[in-house]
Amino acid sequence: MTEAWRPEDDQPRGASGPVRVRVPAKINLHLGVGPLRRDGYHELNTVYHAISLHDELTARRGDTLTLTMEGEGTGELALDDSNLVLRAAHALAGYAGVPPYARLHLRKQIPLAGGLAGGSADAAAALVACDALWGTGLSRDELAGIAADLGSDVPFLIHGGTALGTGRGEAVSPVLARPTTWHWVVAVAEGGLSTPEVYRELDRLRDAGTAGAPLGSTDALLAALRQRDPAVLAAALGNDMQAAALSLRPALGATLKAGEAAGALAGIVSGSGPTCVFLAAGESDAQRIATELAAAGVCRAARAAHGPVPGARVV
Ligand code: ATP
């Protein structure tokens, strides 16, 4: 805990001007889903990877807490206290003992309910932005502690990079590998998929014995990252949720095929879907595959991205 803000402070700490924070989307290079736990969560064994598809949150001083937005999901996403941005601001204010006052504006590029953890990313951005605006000065580890209560993916989006996630995904440790940039194509689908529904479908497929063998450990994926060869990484990518996402949205099969036909080394469903991500051999390949996918009519939009990139940061 930091020292509490005192109303008698005539010079409040923190930023007087706007604070702008950029936060990436995440994909899972390996998403191993264990059995359902007693607390209703599944045990996860995952390798997170932050990619260069960003949301941006601007925080300004205000007399109340407000949220406005533009971009992906505008008009669809509630801007009330159910929004993860406002939940994160309240959580930080409560932890640090400061009034939760700010004018927040979200510019959203990460599609809603896309399996890219956009809501979690926005929560991470709100923690970092309000920490700077209010001068609460928490460490990244303290922010990640608050983040874990907001959602399983939020701590990773504070840190970014490539990291191992265990527990329900909230226990994050960085993957130490020599720096390598990987090139991806992100194929955004029309409409979203509800994560809890995809988990339920996975449980159903497993009960029926039709889900395929679970992925198991992350060892092969981590070894592939160390080899720094995209063809090797392509062979190690895997997602236990893919079968469930394909079962709920069979059209994703055509998206995956089209990306591979366009020259991607591998394609997988991102997290709970319906976004599909493709690994490309290099940057120009990624650009070309994105253009071909967009023209093929198998997704709403396709764009090239790279990773790993840092987590939520003031810019
Ligand atoms: P995950 O993979 O973490 O489950 P996702 O990428 O599939 O997430 P999100 O875009 O993170 O999906 O949103 C999941 C749900 O969270 C949305 O349908 C919405 O109801 C809720 N939500 C709350 N705040 C936000 C926000 N700022 N942005 C997006 N969704 C939000």
Side-chain angles (χ1 to χ4, degrees):
M1 286 274 264
T2 56
E3 191 188 326
W5 179 85
R6 293 164 303 173
E8 65 272 25
D9 284 351
D10 51 4
Q11 286 290 314
R13 294 169 298 162
S16 50
V19 176
R20 202 152 55 89
V21 169
R22 244 158 60 112
V23 66
K26 68 88 205 169
I27 61 176
N28 303 79
L29 307 182
H30 172 112
L31 179 49
V33 181
L36 188 61
R37 307 193 313 199
R38 277 195 165 158
D39 62 4
Y41 289 101
H42 289 78
E43 191 70 25
L44 297 187
N45 186 4
T46 189
V47 177
Y48 289 117
H49 185 72
I51 59 167
S52 61
L53 172 64
H54 290 98
D55 281 356
E56 197 177 277
L57 186 74
T58 306
R60 295 182 171 82
R61 289 196 170 271
D63 301 327
T64 56
L65 181 61
T66 59
L67 174 62
T68 51
M69 76 172 289
E70 64 188 287
E72 283 284 331
T74 304
E76 231 180 295
L77 184 61
L79 297 175
D80 59 14
D81 280 349
S82 67
N83 194 294
L84 280 158
V85 168
L86 296 183
R87 288 180 46 206
H90 280 295
L92 174 64
Y95 179 88
V98 300
Y101 300 156
R103 287 183 293 138
L104 304 173
H105 182 73
L106 178 63
R107 285 182 61 196
K108 209 158 166 54
Q109 283 196 306
I110 307 175
L112 281 194
L116 295 167
S120 303
D122 298 343
L127 292 177
V128 171
C130 291
D131 181 57
L133 185 75
W134 297 335
T136 40
L138 302 193
S139 68
R140 285 215 164 245
D141 284 345
E142 276 178 296
L143 291 175
I146 305 171
D149 291 334
L150 294 164
S152 303
D153 296 338
V154 188
F156 169 67
L157 289 154
I158 297 276
H159 295 294
T162 304
L164 207 54
T166 52
R168 56 181 167 81
E170 86 292 0
V172 173
S173 50
V175 168
L176 300 172
R178 279 186 297 162
T180 308
T181 296
W182 305 99
H183 294 279
W184 303 95
V185 179
V186 181
V188 177
E190 203 65 65
L193 272 177
S194 143
T195 305
E197 227 173 277
V198 182
Y199 273 113
R200 278 196 294 277
E201 180 67 3
L202 176 61
D203 292 336
R204 194 187 67 76
L205 294 177
R206 283 182 169 170
D207 288 345
T210 55
L215 279 179
S217 106
T218 52
D219 292 354
L221 192 280
L222 296 177
L225 279 174
R226 285 193 291 272
Q227 291 193 50
R228 309 172 81 202
D229 176 347
V232 174
L233 181 61
L237 298 174
N239 177 3
D240 278 344
M241 297 192 84
Q242 179 157 318
L246 282 167
S247 165
L248 294 172
R249 193 71 73 82
L252 296 180
T255 312
L256 291 173
K257 270 204 191 118
E260 286 172 13
L265 300 173
I268 52 168
V269 169
S270 176
S272 53
T275 306
C276 293
V277 289
F278 299 90
L279 181 60
E283 189 175 0
S284 56
D285 276 36
Q287 296 287 0
R288 185 185 49 74
I289 295 164
T291 307
E292 279 190 36
L293 273 177
V298 291
C299 54
R300 171 161 68 90
R303 47 174 293 178
H306 62 270
V309 297
R313 293 286 181 281
V314 175
V315 290

